Amino acid sequence: MADESPEPEKVELEIHEAAREGALSAYLAEHPATASPVLYRIVADVVYERLTRRLERGRGHHRCAVAPELLLPECHDGFQDDVEAVLADLVKHADRRIGNLGGWMAARLNAVTVDANRRRRGERGALQRPRLPAWLGTALGPDPWLRALALDILMWVGVPTAVAGGLWPLGTWADRRAAATGDPGVTERQVAADVELVLSAMRTNPDWYEQYVERPLGRKQAPPACAPRADREGVYEPGYVSCAGPDESVEANLRALASEVIDAVEARMLAGDDPRTAVVEVLGLVFGVGTGSEDLGCAPGCAPDTDERVARLLADPEALDRVVEVLIGPVLEAMAQDGGGRDALEG
């Protein structure tokens, strides 16, 4: 403990030892600069592996379930909120003996994160536990889709950020309406009409509507201004917007490239390719590794040394094994969601 700048691995061991002795609170106070970031990483790993990954799979966000770096912005915000809630709970109890730090946090994950989410919703003026009031259920009638949409609206008004280009996530709700009604041709315009129908029913109770719908809506943060991205020839790409600074744009583009990799690997596996071969060839193609072309030395929007790191990864059998393992899980899940699954792969 006397080292001025101990290695993170050493600090992590000391944190676990301090927790077992009931001295974590004292250790954090004594080594704030070195212990705090390591403890944050420990907590983040537990939250992602034991909570976030499961939630993202349940939402059908297969790429978000690959790694924290691939979380969509809105999913990443929720992940960070959960990490901060679990970290605060751990610090609050840091003076007790905790024999298994990861297991102790995992056992408390649901209760701690749900409670924190409810508090945040309450601070924004939204219902902490959205429920359909009897009067609203009567006003909407027996239609299960409208009743479900009303709950979605009550949930959405408590989310801190708005969506770009509109007030409601109509695309997501259109998919949900299609699943609920069995109508694959649902449009956002239809869902917008449904939203207005539900809001009209809510407005029949003006005080309730102002308190639990209008007020939290008014506290939503607007999404950042977005600008189109130019390709390397200076031609703007249609349909692409960048809402981030230079560093964040690189990260966002890398997330997009990761999505392309997963889609391409899935297509090759469905065509009968060996998973490992598919991963190697797709990574090489997307990041321009081994193409012999200078122009493909780095995929558009990636960091200058990304192609070099990918090349080193492909040359390291153990690292490649880990990448294949991480990629194949969500690919198989995506295939199952599409009706293919393991049978399509193995057949």
Side-chain angles (χ1 to χ4, degrees):
M1 294 188 186
D3 295 344
E4 292 185 4
S5 300
E7 293 295 325
E9 293 79 6
K10 182 176 185 293
V11 174
E12 182 170 349
L13 290 174
E14 292 176 350
I15 285 175
H16 284 279
E17 180 61 27
R20 285 191 290 269
E21 295 175 355
L24 181 56
S25 181
Y27 182 84
L28 294 174
E30 186 178 351
H31 307 281
T34 56
S36 295
V38 174
L39 183 63
Y40 188 92
R41 179 181 57 77
I42 293 171
V43 174
D45 288 346
V46 171
V47 171
Y48 185 80
E49 294 298 334
R50 304 296 292 270
L51 177 67
T52 307
R53 194 189 294 275
R54 170 171 53 83
L55 293 176
E56 296 302 332
R57 285 173 175 165
R59 296 180 181 123
H61 293 186
H62 302 294
R63 292 165 184 81
C64 293
V66 173
E69 295 78 14
L70 298 181
L71 287 165
L72 293 169
E74 61 271 24
C75 299
H76 187 268
D77 289 344
F79 168 62
Q80 293 291 352
D81 286 341
D82 290 340
V83 171
E84 291 173 6
V86 174
L87 181 60
D89 181 65
L90 174 59
V91 171
K92 180 180 178 181
H93 297 91
D95 57 350
R96 66 170 58 183
R97 293 180 181 271
I98 302 175
N100 182 336
L101 195 58
W104 185 87
M105 287 188 288
R108 301 171 61 83
L109 277 178
N110 285 337
V112 169
T113 55
V114 167
D115 183 63
N117 180 61
R118 288 171 179 167
R119 287 200 307 272
R120 289 191 298 270
R121 290 181 59 85
E123 291 168 359
R124 291 189 288 269
L127 290 169
Q128 293 189 28
R129 300 184 182 184
R131 297 288 188 272
L132 199 66
W135 61 267
L136 182 55
T138 300
L140 292 173
D143 188 329
W145 159 244
L146 291 181
R147 297 167 73 93
L149 180 58
L151 286 175
D152 284 344
I153 289 173
L154 293 176
M155 287 294 299
W156 174 249
V157 297
V159 175
T161 55
V163 292
L167 185 59
W168 311 104
L170 298 178
T172 299
W173 289 349
D175 292 341
R176 194 167 299 176
R177 186 182 192 271
T181 63
D183 178 8
V186 176
T187 65
E188 292 188 12
R189 179 174 296 182
Q190 289 175 299
V191 176
D194 291 342
V195 169
E196 186 53 42
L197 187 63
V198 172
L199 293 178
S200 294
M202 291 178 172
R203 292 189 190 105
T204 61
N205 189 332
D207 291 339
W208 181 92
Y209 179 80
E210 193 280 331
Q211 182 174 358
Y212 296 119
V213 180
E214 278 195 343
R215 185 175 64 172
L217 272 179
R219 294 179 177 175
K220 274 185 177 288
Q221 302 170 8
C226 301
R229 177 184 69 179
D231 64 18
R232 285 186 289 181
E233 288 71 39
V235 179
Y236 284 103
E237 300 179 12
Y240 182 94
V241 292
S242 173
C243 305
D247 293 340
E248 291 173 321
S249 293
V250 168
E251 182 180 345
N253 290 330
L254 286 174
R255 284 198 298 266
L257 288 173
S259 296
E260 293 178 17
V261 168
I262 292 174
D263 290 340
V265 169
E266 177 183 352
R268 293 199 179 200
M269 288 172 60
L270 284 172
D273 284 3
D274 171 72
R276 185 185 181 89
T277 301
V279 170
V280 171
E281 292 183 355
V282 168
L283 283 174
L285 182 63
V286 169
F287 289 95
V289 177
T291 62
S293 169
E294 271 186 49
D295 290 340
L296 292 179
C298 181
C302 74
D305 63 342
T306 299
D307 55 334
E308 297 178 7
R309 296 203 304 269
V310 173
R312 290 196 298 269
L313 181 150
L314 293 179
D316 183 342
E318 292 185 2
L320 183 57
D321 286 341
R322 291 194 296 271
V323 172
V324 171
E325 182 180 355
V326 167
L327 282 174
I328 296 308
V331 167
L332 288 173
E333 289 185 10
M335 291 164 62
Q337 290 286 331
D338 292 337
R342 290 183 182 268
D343 292 339
L345 175 62
E346 297 172 354

